[in-house]
C-alpha cells in the first residue's frame, strides 16, 4: 500500500475510505454550504474540502460513481480527471448531468471516486516516419462495431 498524505480543509469533512476490501477507489463527498442544482446538460464544480500530497510517480484519477451514472445519469465531465503529484489545492469534481431532470447535490453526498495510479513518464523521440501497423491510420470505428 502507498501512503498518501491528506488534509481536511474543513473540520466537517469526513476522510474518504474504501467501502469494501475489493474496492479500487475511495468515494469523495461534496463539501458544500448550500445545495447545488445541476440542470440537465449542465456542469457544476463541486468542492470536497480535501487536499492531497500524492507521491511522485503517481496520480489520483477522479472517476464517476457507477450508481450515480446508472441511476441518475451523473458523470465526471473530464473522466478520468487527473490530480497531479505536485498539486496541493482542494480536490474539486466537475460533474455533468447527462439526464433529463435536475440533480441536487447536498452536503456530504458521495459524488465521485478517486483511484491512485502509477504514472509512467515517456521520452519522446521525433522521427520522420512511424513504423507501419496493420491498422495504420484507421481510427474512430475503423476496426468494426
Amino acid at each position: 500500500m502507498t501512503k498518501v498524505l491528506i488534509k481536511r480543509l474543513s473540520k466537517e469533512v469526513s476522510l474518504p475510505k474504501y467501502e469494501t476490501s475489493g474496492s479500487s477507489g475511495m468515494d469523495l463527498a461534496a463539501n458544500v454550504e448550500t445545495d447545488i442544482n445541476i440542470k440537465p446538460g449542465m456542469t457544476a464544480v463541486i468542492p470536497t474540502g480535501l487536499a492531497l500530497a500524492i507521491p511522485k510517480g503517481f496520480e489520483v484519477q477522479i472517476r464517476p460513481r457507477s450508481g450515480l451514472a446508472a441511476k441518475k445519469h451523473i458523470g465526471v465531465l473530464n473522466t478520468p480527471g487527473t490530480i497531479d503529484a505536485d498539486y496541493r489545492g482542494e480536490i474539486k469534481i466537475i460533474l455533468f448531468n447527462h439526464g433529463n431532470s435536475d440533480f441536487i447535490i447536498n452536503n456530504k453526498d458521495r459524488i465521485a471516486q478517486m483511484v491512485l495510479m502509477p504514472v509512467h513518464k515517456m521520452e519522446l523521440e521525433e522521427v520522420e516516419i512511424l513504423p507501419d501497423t496493420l491498422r495504420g491510420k484507421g481510427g474512430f470505428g475503423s476496426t468494426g462495431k
Side-chain angles (χ1 to χ4, degrees), residues 54-139:
I54 302 163
K56 189 174 183 177
F58 290 88
E59 69 169 331
V60 165
Q61 292 184 354
I62 304 300
R63 301 178 183 178
R65 293 190 65 235
S66 58
L68 279 182
K71 297 173 185 172
K72 302 293 184 178
H73 311 285
I74 301 300
V76 175
L77 185 62
N78 59 327
T79 302
T82 294
I83 302 174
D84 295 309
D86 59 352
Y87 176 68
R88 294 295 183 268
E90 181 175 16
I91 298 171
K92 295 181 181 180
I93 312 300
I94 308 168
L95 291 183
F96 183 79
N97 185 347
H98 295 275
N100 297 320
S101 304
D102 289 7
F103 183 75
I104 307 295
I105 303 285
N106 303 293
N107 192 43
K108 299 190 180 193
D109 281 354
R110 293 182 299 160
I111 55 170
Q113 59 181 322
M114 65 176 177
V115 176
L116 182 68
M117 297 295 295
V119 172
H120 300 280
K121 297 278 186 163
M122 63 179 117
E123 178 183 343
L124 299 176
E125 179 183 345
E126 188 174 8
V127 296
E128 294 294 323
I129 298 172
L130 295 174
D132 285 332
T133 66
L134 204 53
R135 182 176 182 175
K137 293 181 182 178

Side-chain angles (χ1 to χ4, degrees), residues 30-44:
N31 181 45
V32 295
E33 292 181 17
T34 58
D35 296 349
I36 296 175
N37 182 14
I38 308 175
K39 299 224 173 267
M42 301 302 290
T43 62

